[in-house]
Amino acid sequence: MAAEGKRLPLTFKVMACLAAGILVAWVVTTLLDTYFNMPLLADTKGWLLRAGDWLLLETPMPNWSLMLIIATLIGTLSVAIYYTRSPDGAGGELHEIERKVYKKNNPQFPQLTENQTLLMEVLAYHANYRKIASLDSVCKLVSISTLEVEVGLKQLEAKRLVKRSATRGTFGATTFSLTVAGKDYALERFELT
């Protein structure tokens, strides 16, 4: 079934161009034959007459029917190749649906809760703008409690999507960043600029 908005490739414009092309070819061959003494049109006409005589020969299987069978087979093969190689259309839509069903049934990444997804989005935001993600900066961007943020970050660490880095010294701080798997998850799920 054709999708809505899709047009057939054979339109009035294509048919008009084809007719104009045939007319131009006839005019050119007639002018070449008349003014430049090139018997191209006469040779073509003679060749077409000989081919017509051959098609009308009486044989056990008439030649025209053999040519019709061959033309039908070539046409069927051409249509099959066209629809097999066509990137869009029903085959492309079916492939896209199959891919979505496969991704849903075989997720590449673990399923996250709403809070974990929110934390991943905040960490992706920090990574996208090259900011340091501390517990305070994450808590400022989300509307959940500090305890829930800590629990969510620990769960994301257990799923190996987030890594924690601690610095020592007078101004020691704990920062959070995405792992390679976390970056892949963020690239697939969120729109980053």
Side-chain angles (χ1 to χ4, degrees), residues 109-118 120 155-156 159 161 185 190:
F109 301 107
Q111 296 295 325
L112 301 180
T113 64
E114 189 177 321
N115 286 347
Q116 291 171 345
T117 304
L118 183 62
M120 284 295 293
Q155 291 169 346
L156 289 173
K159 293 181 181 183
L161 296 173
Y185 180 89
F190 313 120

Side-chain angles (χ1 to χ4, degrees), residues 20-181:
I22 291 171
L23 180 67
V24 167
W26 178 77
V27 168
V28 166
T29 54
T30 304
L31 290 175
L32 286 175
D33 189 27
T34 305
Y35 293 107
F36 295 107
N37 198 17
M38 297 177 121
L40 185 62
L41 190 59
D43 289 346
T44 305
K45 185 178 176 184
W47 181 82
L48 287 174
L49 288 174
R50 282 193 302 275
D53 290 340
W54 179 80
L55 286 174
L56 295 175
L57 279 177
E58 290 297 325
T59 56
M61 181 177 190
N63 292 338
W64 63 266
S65 63
L66 178 65
M67 294 303 289
L68 186 64
I69 291 170
I70 291 171
T72 303
L73 290 175
I74 290 173
T76 305
L77 183 64
S78 299
V79 168
I81 290 171
Y82 172 77
Y83 280 110
T84 301
R85 296 183 56 110
S86 177
D88 55 347
E93 291 170 6
L94 181 61
H95 175 70
E96 196 64 29
I97 292 169
E98 286 175 345
R99 187 183 65 76
K100 286 179 183 176
V101 168
Y102 177 80
K103 280 187 132 189
K104 183 173 176 108
N105 292 337
N106 302 308
Q108 181 181 359
F109 301 107
Q111 296 295 325
L112 301 180
T113 64
E114 189 177 321
N115 286 347
Q116 291 171 345
T117 304
L118 183 62
L119 291 172
M120 284 295 293
E121 193 170 354
V122 167
L123 291 173
Y125 168 80
H126 278 85
N128 192 33
Y129 291 104
R130 293 190 172 98
K131 294 183 177 183
I132 297 173
S134 65
L135 188 61
D136 291 336
S137 66
V138 171
C139 288
K140 286 178 184 176
L141 292 174
V142 294
S143 59
I144 54 178
S145 68
T146 306
L147 181 61
E148 288 175 322
V149 170
E150 288 176 347
V151 168
L153 289 172
K154 283 182 185 178
Q155 291 169 346
L156 289 173
E157 275 185 280
K159 293 181 181 183
R160 298 177 187 218
L161 296 173
V162 173
K163 65 181 174 183
R164 179 188 306 246
S165 304
T167 57
R168 299 179 189 253
T170 310
F171 300 107
T174 303
T175 60
F176 300 93
S177 59
L178 297 173
T179 62
V180 174

